[in-house]
Amino acid sequence: MASSVLSQLRGLKVLVVHPPDGERNNLVQHLNRIGCEVRATWPLPGSMDVDFDVLFFVASHDERDRFLKLSRSWSGAPPTLLALVDYEDPSTLQLVLECGALASVGKPIRPFGLLTNLVIARALWQQRSETRAKVDKLEHKLAGIRNINKAKSILIKSQGLSEEEAYRSIRAQAMSKRVSMDEIAMAIINANELLSFRPKR
């Protein structure tokens, strides 16, 4: 994984949210040397499309609520977050954790340690993304099993089939129509709900 992350650094899209000063200039220059495509902005926008891979942001208590609101509005996978910190006091560290940063960079910003923190953050982000994909796949599979079991119960009750016969019926229909068993199960469930519907008087 480490070699994969390192090979992906060149061309990585990075957004730096930091006041326009020498610190920001240093950070942008260091990231450009690494090979990243860097944009910088300030202040923190009220909303933004996640068209970047990595976000460096100032861990500021003044911006806390705004940043948390912004981060919760992202759809899909969030970017890799790295916090820029002035002080390592408990309240700042709590803010870094609340924002979901995967690494932090101390100020004043220096080249040493920046690449290491960026690689670690990207590796953690990649691991989380892979874990999230596996969890989503398992949840989808479990939902399909639940649907098939519910459809089997409907067939057992409505047609007097055994559990094995109900399963074979669903599987045969799926093979005949060249769709998944889950899709056939959902069709049976929906049809049953439609037939069982009684309008309120």
Side-chain angles (χ1 to χ4, degrees), residues 23-40:
E23 287 281 4
R24 187 173 87 173
N25 292 340
N26 285 338
L27 178 58
V28 170
Q29 287 174 8
H30 297 328
L31 292 170
N32 280 330
R33 289 192 194 102
I34 293 170
C36 302
E37 297 178 10
V38 189
R39 289 187 294 122

Side-chain angles (χ1 to χ4, degrees), residues 10-22:
R10 185 163 295 278
L12 204 64
K13 294 181 179 179
V14 178
L15 178 65
V16 174
V17 180
H18 190 290
D21 58 15

Side-chain angles (χ1 to χ4, degrees), residues 106-159:
K107 296 172 66 177
I109 296 167
R110 295 182 176 87
F112 183 77
L114 178 61
L115 177 60
T116 300
N117 278 289
L118 179 57
V119 169
I120 289 171
R122 284 298 289 175
L124 289 171
W125 180 90
Q126 193 170 326
Q127 288 176 352
R128 285 189 179 184
S129 298
E130 290 170 357
T131 300
R132 190 182 301 113
K134 289 177 182 176
V135 169
D136 290 344
K137 187 176 180 180
L138 285 172
E139 288 179 346
H140 180 75
K141 186 175 181 178
L142 287 172
I145 291 170
R146 285 194 294 268
N147 290 335
I148 291 169
N149 287 335
K150 187 173 181 179
K152 283 194 303 182
S153 297
I154 292 169
L155 294 178
I156 290 168
K157 185 177 179 180
S158 64
Q159 298 184 19

Side-chain angles (χ1 to χ4, degrees), residues 143-144 147-148 150-151 170 180-193:
N147 290 335
I148 291 169
K150 187 173 181 179
I170 295 170
S180 68
M181 289 180 66
D182 184 27
E183 290 178 85
I184 294 298
M186 281 304 302
I188 292 169
I189 293 167
N190 292 335
N192 182 67
E193 289 176 353

